[in-house]
Amino acid sequence: SKLINKTSAEVITKLIQIGVMATINQEIDFDVAELIALEFGYEVEKEVSNDDNEDSLLEVEVDDPNDLQPRPPIVTVMGHVDHGKTSLLDAIRQTNVTAKEAGGITQHIGASEVHINGKKIVFLDTPGHEAFTSMRARGAQVTDISIIVVAADDGIMPQTIEAINHSKAANVPIIVAINKIDKPNINVDRVKQELADQGLLVEDWGGDVISVPVSALKGQNIDTLLEMVLLVAEMEELKANPNRKAVGTVIEAQLDKGRGPVATVLVQNGTLKVGDSIVAGIGHGKVRAMINHLGKRIKEATPSTPVEILGLSDVPQSGDQFVVVENDKLARSIADKRKEKLREEQMKATQKVSLDELFKQMEKGELKELNIVVKGDVQGSVQAVKQSLEKLTNDEVAVKVIHAGVGAITESDIMLASASNAIIIGFNVRPVTSAQSLAEKEKVDVRTYRIIYKAIEDIQAAMKGMLDPEY
Ligand code: GDP
């Protein structure tokens, strides 16, 4: 806020508007900061510094290009709801089931491997750009290629556009699977036109985006789709060095009653071995056992292999980085520092922000402020309530409407009010259920009215309570 010459309240309001429930002493990551700066018309550049954190204990191993070998691609399936992401993942796994496996139960570990033409492709099992981007927000880029599924009978929809934009933002190449081609009366050309409108020109229209018409339901053309994944992977020249200590990312993790913390990790570089000392997020330990996507115990996992690992002290979060270190002692001390940092962050998050931190006016002198969030059913009444309330400002108390909008009172309104010690006035609207319970938890005063002057009366009374007593 200092650099762009805005008050912290303005920055916090913007943050909450984009859905980040920030308080004043909370750290925000680079991507969020960049978004906010853009909102205010500033461009930002990232400055990279390597000191002052726990990872300075880690040596960064740089690979000699001669040591690099090709590695399999990691693929995420994205697209609009009901366009067939889950069905496509199922169909892909089906094409790969050998007769022997078919009867058995394959264990779910969060990612699956598929073999085609003697080559391997790894699919992350949680489809959707939300999972993809939440990992990215934690600094982990796992996906090499994204398959965007578009149902031929529905065309490009809002979440398709989000998926395209999220992939583009991450610089991840896109393959489009035009799905449900078994349906009657579909128009593949219309989908291609809509893709072109989004800046994705398919190959047969002279562009460079590969699109494959498929039917996940009938298992049609799935082989071609997989071959195209291999083709793109080849062009990307994906490489890693299998002969070094492993690093990678936690895909998912949980506490298992019998087995303790269990994490599915994706080895991104190096080879992970049973017995390695490892740090994963706040967890550390020796890798006691590794289980592959078929539920089989393995001793070693090479680059681009997803494996479930046992032996961690604590449960890491998905998106956390894992790294193999020299010995257990180092692993523990890195994990301890991370835990310490996490505790500090949690402490900060529970401290309520006071008005004086948020508003310059409070620093200046005696001025008292009453902050209000106004929500109403129509724009006209919202504006009327806002103006009438602000007119109540007198020499001693300033009435400030920090946010005014149309619609029900939501969780983000509550968080905004909580962060700025504001009360909420709803005019012909009510809080949604989740907002109601959040308001109770955050101790935010939510008042709803049907008549404007009733609201004014109440606020006037409240202001009297705030006035210094006169004798
Ligand atoms: P998701 O929400 O993107 O994961 O979509 P689903 O995989 O759950 O599929 C949504 C619906 O579309 C289900 O009823 C599927 O059976 C159906 N569906 C998926 N793929 C096809 C397909 O290729 N052809 C037809 N006709 N239906 C499909």
Side-chain angles (χ1 to χ4, degrees):
S1 89
K2 270 187 198 139
L3 284 176
I4 61 175
N5 220 359
K6 299 282 168 200
T7 63
S8 44
E10 283 171 300
V11 172
I12 288 179
T13 307
K14 262 288 187 282
L15 279 167
I16 290 175
Q17 280 168 2
I18 66 163
V20 178
M21 301 304 158
T23 58
I24 192 155
N25 40 22
Q26 182 180 331
E27 262 180 47
I28 56 173
D29 61 36
F30 178 80
D31 290 347
V32 173
E34 185 179 29
L35 256 180
I36 295 298
L38 279 173
E39 288 272 315
F40 285 115
Y42 290 87
E43 277 189 28
V44 296
E45 240 174 69
K46 195 170 194 168
E47 226 178 69
V48 180
S49 110
N50 271 328
D51 44 275
D52 87 341
N53 69 27
E54 78 285 344
D55 292 338
S56 58
L57 289 173
L58 296 172
E59 298 164 45
V60 181
E61 255 183 86
V62 182
D63 294 308
D64 184 324
N66 294 325
D67 295 334
L68 297 178
Q69 295 176 22
R71 64 166 179 84
I74 319 288
V75 181
T76 301
V77 175
M78 308 187 199
H80 196 73
V81 63
D82 279 348
H83 279 198
K85 298 181 290 293
T86 314
S87 308
L88 184 64
L89 277 167
D90 286 346
I92 288 168
R93 276 186 290 249
Q94 285 301 316
T95 58
N96 231 255
V97 180
T98 62
K100 210 167 94 204
E101 287 162 25
I105 306 155
T106 52
Q107 189 176 342
H108 166 89
I109 67 159
S112 25
E113 289 176 22
V114 161
H115 295 262
I116 180 153
N117 303 343
K119 294 203 167 124
K120 194 170 97 173
I121 304 172
V122 177
F123 282 87
L124 298 181
D125 283 346
T126 314
H129 57 273
E130 297 85 356
F132 171 84
T133 296
S134 75
M135 284 242 194
R136 227 161 65 77
R138 297 185 58 80
Q141 172 118 334
V142 175
T143 304
D144 298 309
I145 296 169
S146 67
I147 294 182
I148 296 186
V149 183
V150 186
D153 59 341
D154 207 18
I156 304 276
M157 297 301 279
Q159 286 169 287
T160 322
I161 296 173
E162 282 176 37
I164 293 170
N165 291 337
H166 284 225
S167 302
K168 279 186 182 166
N171 244 334
V172 170
I174 292 171
I175 295 175
V176 181
I178 302 177
N179 192 28
K180 308 200 185 182
I181 53 157
D182 58 287
K183 282 196 160 184
N185 306 322
I186 49 133
N187 186 347
V188 171
D189 274 344
R190 196 196 57 164
V191 176
K192 290 181 178 171
Q193 178 59 56
E194 290 172 347
L195 287 168
D197 295 342
Q198 296 302 321
L200 294 185
L201 200 59
V202 296
E203 279 187 319
D204 40 340
W205 285 23
D208 58 2
V209 176
I210 295 176
S211 72
V212 185
V214 299
S215 165
L217 197 69
K218 307 258 188 246
Q220 218 174 317
N221 249 355
I222 304 296
D223 286 358
T224 314
L225 179 65
L226 295 177
E227 277 159 18
M228 290 305 142
V229 170
L230 288 179
L231 190 73
V232 173
E234 217 164 276
M235 293 191 296
E236 292 292 305
E237 297 187 15
L238 306 169
K239 284 184 175 158
N241 174 9
N243 301 308
R244 53 165 281 170
K245 290 202 287 283
V247 295
T249 299
V250 176
I251 306 292
E252 51 178 54
Q254 68 273 328
L255 190 61
D256 184 287
K257 258 195 187 149
R259 303 185 295 167
V262 177
T264 296
V265 301
L266 184 75
V267 179
Q268 290 175 288
N269 203 358
T271 296
L272 183 62
K273 301 179 181 125
V274 169
D276 278 347
S277 299
I278 186 175
V279 195
I282 57 161
H284 68 92
K286 249 190 174 44
V287 177
R288 205 168 60 206
M290 289 200 287
I291 294 135
N292 74 3
H293 71 118
L294 297 173
K296 292 206 182 85
R297 283 191 174 233
I298 54 170
K299 290 248 180 295
E300 289 193 352
T302 49
S304 293
T305 307
V307 277
E308 197 176 68
I309 58 169
L310 308 185
L312 289 174
S313 60
D314 294 82
V315 181
Q317 280 185 286
S318 78
D320 276 342
Q321 181 212 42
F322 87 80
V323 44
V324 169
V325 295
E326 216 55 68
N327 53 52
D328 290 355
K329 197 166 150 244
L330 184 57
R332 175 191 288 269
S333 72
I334 294 169
D336 283 350
K337 283 199 180 165
R338 286 181 177 172
K339 264 192 235 168
E340 182 67 28
K341 206 170 146 203
L342 193 71
R343 255 197 302 277
E344 278 169 21
E345 278 166 12
Q346 282 166 346
M347 292 273 289
K348 279 184 196 162
T350 52
Q351 276 166 15
K352 265 284 183 70
V353 183
S354 66
L355 270 178
D356 27 14
E357 279 172 306
L358 282 170
F359 294 104
K360 270 198 237 153
Q361 291 95 323
M362 293 295 289
E363 294 163 4
K364 281 188 194 146
E366 304 296 303
L367 188 73
K368 291 181 185 173
E369 275 194 347
L370 182 56
N371 289 337
I372 302 178
V373 172
V374 177
K375 293 301 285 282
D377 54 344
V378 288
Q379 192 60 38
S381 51
V382 169
Q383 284 310 317
V385 174
K386 179 176 187 287
Q387 278 162 18
S388 319
L389 288 172
E390 286 181 333
K391 274 201 202 118
L392 294 175
T393 295
N394 59 30
D395 290 346
E396 284 163 279
V397 181
V399 178
K400 204 164 172 188
V401 175
I402 57 171
H403 175 63
V406 175
I409 298 160
T410 62
E411 285 173 80
S412 73
D413 295 325
I414 305 291
M415 290 315 291
L416 175 60
S418 171
S420 2
N421 282 348
I423 65 162
I424 299 183
I425 289 188
F427 189 72
N428 279 331
V429 291
R430 304 199 55 80
V432 297
T433 316
S434 54
Q436 185 85 55
S437 46
L438 187 62
E440 278 159 28
K441 193 168 139 245
E442 297 287 322
K443 300 195 172 55
V444 169
D445 193 0
V446 180
R447 292 155 179 272
T448 51
Y449 300 90
R450 300 204 159 272
I451 305 162
I452 293 186
Y453 83 79
K454 276 279 181 207
I456 313 295
E457 254 179 28
D458 271 11
I459 299 305
Q460 259 171 335
M463 284 170 69
K464 286 206 185 98
M466 288 175 75
L467 297 175
D468 289 330
E470 284 176 33
Y471 301 99

